[in-house]
Each structure stands twice: as C-alpha cells, then as structure tokens.
Amino acid sequence: YAYDALEPSFDAATMHLHHDKHHQAYVNNLNIAVAGHSDLAGKTVNELVAGLSSIPEAIRKAVQNQGGGHANHSFWWPTLGKGGAAPVGELAKAIDAKFGSLTAFQDNLTDAAMHVFGSGWAWLVKMPDGTVAIESTANQDSPLTAGHTPVVGIDVWEHAYYLKYQNKRADYVKAFFTVLNWDYVTGKFAEKA
Ligand code: MN3
C-alpha cells in the first residue's frame, strides 16, 4: 500500500520515516552484524530471533536488536490497512475465550501499550498451546524469542507516532485500531493453526 494509505490515522510523513529510515536501518545493521557468518546466511530473520540463544555471543545483541527490529516491522506492515472491522473464525473464538469480548481485548492491549516504559511493543500473541495472550517487549525484542507467535502488534517507539501525535500515545493507540487489518490478521492466524 501507499505511504498515505493509512491517512489520517497514520500520516504519510511518519510512514516514510518509519519504513524507509527506521526499518531500513535495522535491515542494514543486521546485514553488517551477520556478515562473515555464512552459517546464518540461509536463515530467515524470524529463525534468527527465534533461535537467539544459539547465535554466537559476539553478535547476539546485534541480532536481538537489529534482527528483532527487522522481524517486528516486517510482521507489522501487512497487518495495517483497511480490511474488516473484527476478527472472525478461530481468532474470534480465541479472543472471546481469553478476554470475553473484542472490546475487552482492545482495552487490554491498549493498557499494555500504555504501560510500555520507554521504547517497545505491545502484542497479542499465539501461545504454543493455541491460546492467545497479551504481552509487551522492550526495545525490539521479538515474542518469537520466547516461542510466542505475534498476531497483533503495536509499535510504541516514539518514532512510530511522535511526528503526528507528539506525546499523546493514547491517541496514537486509538488510531492504531482504526487501521488494523482484521481480515489479514485473521487469515494469518488460521494459517498458523
Ligand atoms: Mn518502529
């Protein structure tokens, strides 16, 4: 989708900076970190962050930060857009089972997003047993490292919202729910079932 596709919730200038500068920097720095580690070359970024403990110590922190940044943003972009007002099918069932309602889920995720101190993410994740849960991660840590699969994520780094929303993270989080592509998220959840 175009940079202005999520206007007015997410403005085009923020999307340009976020995708072209911030996300690109994670990619560039990850490539620098893994250069010379030919054994890692065939792995996807999700495999790298999921297997963080087996990454050589000298580059583990770089893979955690830069690889996590690449993995988190690569996950995130396709979940944004216009598509569906609510989850359906298996995801709707899982959210209802855990939270009781879609509104209660949104309240819980909003709360998690508001309580991230500093930079990080709030997530709805799929647990190994198939249930869903809310968690937050610091910096660019990925839920994949703990064996949890991201389903919905909110980037609460200031780079995600400061240009348009300044310090008003609550307004940004509210806007996020208006550009969450439930059709896509629901489809991905069913795929991983
Ligand atoms: Mn970001």
Side-chain angles (χ1 to χ4, degrees), residues 48-169:
L48 292 177
V49 296
L52 199 59
S53 59
S54 63
I55 301 292
E57 205 176 338
I59 61 165
R60 193 178 302 153
K61 197 72 193 173
V63 171
Q64 181 179 350
N65 292 336
Q66 312 300 337
H70 179 26
N72 291 341
H73 289 86
S74 296
F75 158 81
W76 202 47
W77 303 124
T79 68
L80 305 177
K82 304 286 154 65
V88 296
E90 289 304 310
L91 179 55
K93 273 186 224 161
I95 286 175
D96 277 346
K98 178 75 180 185
F99 306 102
S101 70
L102 182 60
T103 305
F105 153 69
Q106 293 191 345
D107 289 348
N108 274 270
L109 187 59
T110 297
D111 195 55
M114 294 307 294
H115 282 91
V116 173
F117 182 75
S119 297
W121 291 71
W123 304 96
L124 177 73
V125 296
K126 187 175 190 178
M127 306 299 277
D129 67 2
T131 61
V132 292
I134 281 176
E135 63 186 41
S136 58
T137 57
N139 304 309
Q140 291 295 356
D141 291 358
S142 165
L144 293 169
T145 305
H148 305 163
T149 306
V151 178
V152 173
I154 307 180
D155 184 345
V156 289
W157 283 59
E158 284 188 344
H159 70 223
Y161 64 89
Y162 206 84
L163 203 57
K164 180 177 172 80
Y165 292 100
Q166 294 82 46
N167 59 323
K168 297 186 283 285
R169 187 190 286 187

